[in-house]
Amino acid sequence: MCTNSWDNRTFECGKCIELNIEGGHNNAPLHNCGTYDVWSQLGYYKIEKVLNGKKISSVNYPQRDLIRRIADWGIKHGVKFILTEVDKWVWADKIMENFYLHEIYSQYLSVNVMTREKLASFYESHSARVKKYIGKDKIVVLK
């Protein structure tokens, strides 16, 4: 995950993107977020609440949660979007094999029992939603 010193504090790229999109400055999503060869894994943990002395956190993914606002900015400025795709079953299996990712997606999808079928369905619908909203002429799909 990329980190950098910004405003005299350590931050994660996802927080920088979120601040640019929600800050009302009409900045590009990656404005002042640093210079990197690859932008990936932009999620970050956010403490939601404290329950019985235990911190309950979630993972924010601004590239997913703010996709409409990011897309609107990009479309307005003539940006091409890149969507990477893998086989939905391969992706689902990788999530099922990783305890932390399994927990993150179980929480995000609000399910008590996660299955590879639920994950594959989520992946497929998310990809279709991104393509539909951004538009085929403004997106490049890499497989």
Side-chain angles (χ1 to χ4, degrees):
M1 189 172 300
C2 59
T3 59
N4 196 0
S5 177
W6 186 65
D7 284 348
N8 296 318
R9 64 179 185 254
T10 300
F11 77 103
E12 295 162 318
C13 297
K15 289 180 184 177
C16 182
I17 293 169
E18 190 172 69
L19 288 170
N20 281 323
I21 297 300
E22 295 194 326
H25 305 294
N26 198 30
N27 289 335
L30 302 173
H31 178 74
N32 284 337
C33 294
T35 304
Y36 302 93
D37 293 331
V38 175
W39 288 90
S40 65
Q41 189 46 29
L42 302 175
Y44 66 93
Y45 286 97
K46 180 178 179 180
I47 304 299
E48 296 290 328
K49 59 186 171 184
V50 177
L51 183 63
N52 296 328
K54 182 179 177 185
K55 292 179 183 177
I56 308 297
S57 62
S58 65
V59 178
N60 284 7
Y61 292 100
Q63 74 275 22
R64 178 202 63 211
D65 300 335
L66 301 172
I67 186 64
R68 290 182 187 264
R69 291 174 69 185
I70 292 170
D72 289 345
W73 185 92
I75 291 166
K76 179 180 175 183
H77 291 88
V79 170
K80 275 279 192 190
F81 290 87
I82 299 172
L83 176 66
T84 55
E85 289 187 332
V86 296
D87 179 87
K88 65 183 181 180
W89 299 110
V90 171
W91 182 83
D93 289 342
K94 292 293 181 189
I95 301 299
M96 294 295 287
E97 291 169 5
N98 184 299
F99 173 78
Y100 296 105
L101 290 175
H102 184 273
E103 291 299 307
I104 287 168
Y105 279 97
S106 294
Q107 184 181 45
Y108 178 69
L109 298 175
S110 300
V111 295
N112 291 328
V113 178
M114 180 60 72
T115 64
R116 76 188 288 257
E117 289 76 16
K118 288 177 186 175
L119 284 166
S121 176
F122 164 76
Y123 182 90
E124 191 172 52
S125 65
H126 174 70
S127 182
R129 191 170 45 252
V130 169
K131 289 176 189 174
K132 181 180 177 183
Y133 190 79
I134 293 175
K136 292 183 180 184
D137 60 325
K138 295 173 187 70
I139 197 164
V140 175
V141 178
L142 300 178
K143 294 186 180 217

